[in-house]
Amino acid sequence: MDSVLSFSTLRSRLLLLVALALLPAAAAIVDAGFEQRRLATADAQENAKRLVRLAAKDHAQFINEGRQLLSTLVQVPQVRDAKAGICTDFLSRLVAQDERLANIGVIRPDGQVVCSGVPLKGGLNVTDRSYFQRAVQTRQFAIGDYQIGRITKLPVLVLAQPAYSAQGRLLSVVFAALNLGRLNRFAAQAALPPGATLTVLDRTHTIMVRNLEPEQWVGKRAPESALLRKLDDAESDGMAALPGFDGVRRLYACTPVRLCAP
């Protein structure tokens, strides 16, 4: 798809969907005839598509900024090689200066975190984390799944970039934990129609962002439904009128969050 790379090919897909409720206004126009009803439906579809594209663009930018930061950091010897003291001081200043970041750190090939912008309390091994596994297996930039950070205790999305020697030996994996609070603030502040929802899911169907009742939904797996099956097939933009995760029938627009290729 030209210069755009869908990270579904890297098994790291994020799905974003906007749901516009089929509001009572739809029922109010029934007597006005088929043509007016058709025009109202078409207008709702265009609004949903516009909103989901805007939201997807913002989310992609958020992740791409993290990716660019990691691409720079793996070129810095003090970070890539986790030089004691220097690495920690440098990363702690970065975290303090950027609200998008919950943490930045460096991981040894054995999975041990050896440098962290947020102070570590004891040792920490992350070989069980999806972002580390994907970065090592693919030998390239990887996106993790929704998680509560073991160091920060915050809901985060972790990005990872492996660093290799000239001989191809894995030196370390540099990671950035993105603070999902920013994405949830975007969702809450988005100019959505009354009754509409904005939701972002990771590849495991865990809800990372939702504007309505986030405390009830964020961090939980989306329930099995016709909508979820539709999303699994969403390799490109899609539309569907289905009952949602909360049982309310809405008109959904969905799209994978696409990231620019390096």
Side-chain angles (χ1 to χ4, degrees):
M1 54 181 71
D2 298 329
S3 62
V4 172
L5 173 64
S6 170
F7 272 79
S8 60
T9 59
L10 299 182
R11 300 188 179 90
S12 301
R13 182 176 62 183
L14 303 180
L15 279 170
L16 186 145
L17 62 97
V18 170
L20 295 182
L22 299 177
L23 299 172
I29 65 170
V30 169
D31 291 338
F34 174 79
E35 180 62 17
Q36 289 170 312
R37 191 172 11 158
R38 184 188 65 80
L39 291 174
T41 300
D43 185 58
Q45 290 177 338
E46 287 305 311
N47 283 336
K49 290 177 183 178
R50 177 180 58 82
L51 288 168
V52 79
R53 287 167 184 160
L54 287 173
K57 182 178 179 180
D58 182 81
H59 286 60
Q61 180 180 343
F62 185 53
I63 295 171
N64 276 322
E65 288 168 354
R67 181 180 190 174
Q68 291 166 6
L69 174 62
L70 290 180
S71 295
T72 300
L73 290 177
V74 295
Q75 303 302 319
V76 179
Q78 293 87 343
V79 175
R80 180 189 64 217
D81 303 331
K83 299 292 186 183
I86 299 175
C87 175
T88 299
D89 292 343
F90 178 66
L91 295 186
S92 64
R93 289 196 298 271
L94 281 181
V95 172
Q97 295 168 4
D98 195 333
E99 67 173 3
R100 298 169 300 177
L101 300 173
N103 195 17
I104 314 175
V106 183
I107 309 163
R108 288 195 317 230
D110 64 359
Q112 199 70 22
V113 178
V114 290
C115 178
S116 173
V118 176
L120 276 170
K121 297 180 180 178
L124 178 63
N125 191 285
V126 295
T127 50
D128 62 326
R129 289 299 204 186
S130 59
Y131 64 87
F132 179 78
Q133 294 171 355
R134 290 171 192 156
V136 173
Q137 290 169 3
T138 65
R139 299 175 63 88
Q140 58 185 306
F141 172 79
I143 303 174
D145 302 321
Y146 175 94
Q147 66 182 59
I148 300 298
R150 292 171 180 157
I151 301 173
T152 64
K153 311 303 181 186
L154 296 172
V156 293
L157 180 67
V158 182
L159 314 180
Q161 179 70 54
Y164 289 89
S165 69
Q167 294 73 36
R169 179 174 60 88
L170 178 64
L171 299 173
S172 62
V173 175
V174 183
F175 72 88
L178 302 184
N179 190 341
L180 289 179
R182 177 185 182 277
L183 297 184
N184 277 291
R185 286 195 298 274
F186 173 89
Q189 295 167 4
L192 298 176
T197 67
L198 171 63
T199 308
V200 182
L201 298 88
D202 70 10
R203 64 185 295 275
T204 70
H205 299 152
T206 298
I207 297 173
M208 301 197 308
V209 175
R210 187 175 169 92
N211 66 312
L212 294 183
E213 301 176 324
E215 65 284 348
Q216 177 181 340
W217 292 98
V218 172
K220 297 181 179 179
R221 295 284 181 91
E224 180 62 32
S225 62
L227 174 59
L228 196 61
R229 292 189 290 274
K230 174 71 175 178
L231 291 177
D232 281 338
D233 294 332
E235 296 297 334
S236 59
D237 298 353
M239 297 287 301
L242 295 167
F245 304 140
D246 55 5
V248 177
R249 186 176 180 83
R250 294 184 173 94
L251 176 65
Y252 286 89
C254 61
T255 184
V257 175
R258 299 179 178 91
L259 308 181
C260 293

